[in-house]
Amino acid sequence: MIKKMAACVLVVSLIAVTVYFSKPYFRESPMGPTKTISDTAAADPFGKYEHPVSIRLGYAVDPTGADLSGGETLEKNIWKTVIKQNLNIDVQVLWQVSKENLSQKIDLAIASNDLPDAMIVNQLQLNEMIKAGEIEDLTEAYNSSASPEIKKIIDSTNGLARPSWTEAAENGR
């Protein structure tokens, strides 16, 4: 459970850095276009955003609910509350599937280009996303803003993490 929570915090931190340095874009919503990311980005990539930022995530869940603390749900839990309070990021649940169906759901999301803002994928899925133009080069954001801890994690892969985003960069993503 602690590893899952740490992974969630790590993913949200990476998303915050990504959002801060991504090219401005608009996402259509039922309430109309949202502000560009550059309009809402905090001056400190590890600080709280001035205006709310929303990210959509897909989750693998235990259908029995055993991976949640008493009374918590994916929509309402301590992690979402802390992220909202400390970063002003609203974590939204785009979809949830059982752990057994996660890979199939990710494949479907990639094929339909109906992707969450962040998700963990395997190498084959990443390759498909690169071919489909669903990946953006984050080298500049990584070099300028990744924390020493994140760089240590990436460096600990002995180069396995770098070729994927290098390939995306070479393809203009």
Side-chain angles (χ1 to χ4, degrees), residues 82-153:
V82 168
I83 291 166
K84 179 65 174 173
Q85 288 173 346
N86 293 328
L87 300 173
N88 205 14
I89 296 175
D90 179 31
V91 179
Q92 301 171 353
V93 178
L94 180 62
W95 46 257
Q96 53 185 308
V97 296
S98 68
K99 293 172 187 168
E100 296 78 23
N101 295 328
L102 180 62
S103 184
Q104 181 180 12
K105 179 63 180 176
I106 291 172
D107 290 342
L108 180 62
I110 293 168
S112 65
N113 197 24
D114 186 20
L115 302 165
D117 295 319
M119 63 182 171
I120 297 172
V121 298
N122 63 35
Q123 188 64 50
L124 293 174
Q125 292 164 334
L126 180 61
N127 292 344
E128 287 301 313
M129 293 176 75
I130 291 169
K131 287 180 197 171
E134 298 169 338
I135 298 291
E136 186 167 334
D137 178 19
L138 298 177
T139 303
E140 182 180 326
Y142 174 83
N143 290 336
S144 66
S145 299
S147 70
E149 292 82 12
I150 295 294
K151 289 181 178 180
K152 184 177 177 182
I153 291 168

Side-chain angles (χ1 to χ4, degrees), residues 14 35 42 68 82 94 107 162:
L14 286 170
K35 292 182 180 256
L68 295 170
V82 168
L94 180 62
D107 290 342
R162 291 247 179 193

Side-chain angles (χ1 to χ4, degrees), residues 1-168:
M1 180 71 175
I2 291 175
K3 286 184 180 180
K4 284 184 184 179
M5 290 179 202
C8 181
V9 170
L10 175 66
V11 167
V12 169
S13 297
L14 286 170
I15 292 168
V17 170
T18 302
V19 167
Y20 180 76
F21 286 99
S22 291
K23 295 175 185 171
Y25 70 95
F26 287 92
R27 174 177 293 143
E28 292 295 326
S29 73
M31 300 176 72
T34 60
K35 292 182 180 256
T36 64
I37 296 305
S38 61
D39 290 341
T40 60
D44 174 6
F46 302 106
K48 187 173 185 175
Y49 288 89
E50 180 181 344
H51 301 286
V53 173
S54 295
I55 58 168
R56 302 169 311 144
L57 302 177
Y59 289 92
V61 296
D62 181 343
T64 67
D67 53 354
L68 295 170
S69 298
E72 291 189 337
T73 66
L74 284 178
E75 290 79 20
K76 185 174 182 178
N77 60 65
I78 188 67
W79 294 104
K80 284 183 70 170
T81 302
V82 168
I83 291 166
K84 179 65 174 173
Q85 288 173 346
N86 293 328
L87 300 173
N88 205 14
I89 296 175
D90 179 31
V91 179
Q92 301 171 353
V93 178
L94 180 62
W95 46 257
Q96 53 185 308
V97 296
S98 68
K99 293 172 187 168
E100 296 78 23
N101 295 328
L102 180 62
S103 184
Q104 181 180 12
K105 179 63 180 176
I106 291 172
D107 290 342
L108 180 62
I110 293 168
S112 65
N113 197 24
D114 186 20
L115 302 165
D117 295 319
M119 63 182 171
I120 297 172
V121 298
N122 63 35
Q123 188 64 50
L124 293 174
Q125 292 164 334
L126 180 61
N127 292 344
E128 287 301 313
M129 293 176 75
I130 291 169
K131 287 180 197 171
E134 298 169 338
I135 298 291
E136 186 167 334
D137 178 19
L138 298 177
T139 303
E140 182 180 326
Y142 174 83
N143 290 336
S144 66
S145 299
S147 70
E149 292 82 12
I150 295 294
K151 289 181 178 180
K152 184 177 177 182
I153 291 168
I154 297 295
D155 292 344
S156 73
T157 68
N158 296 322
L160 293 175
R162 291 247 179 193
S164 299
W165 81 43
T166 302
E167 182 179 337

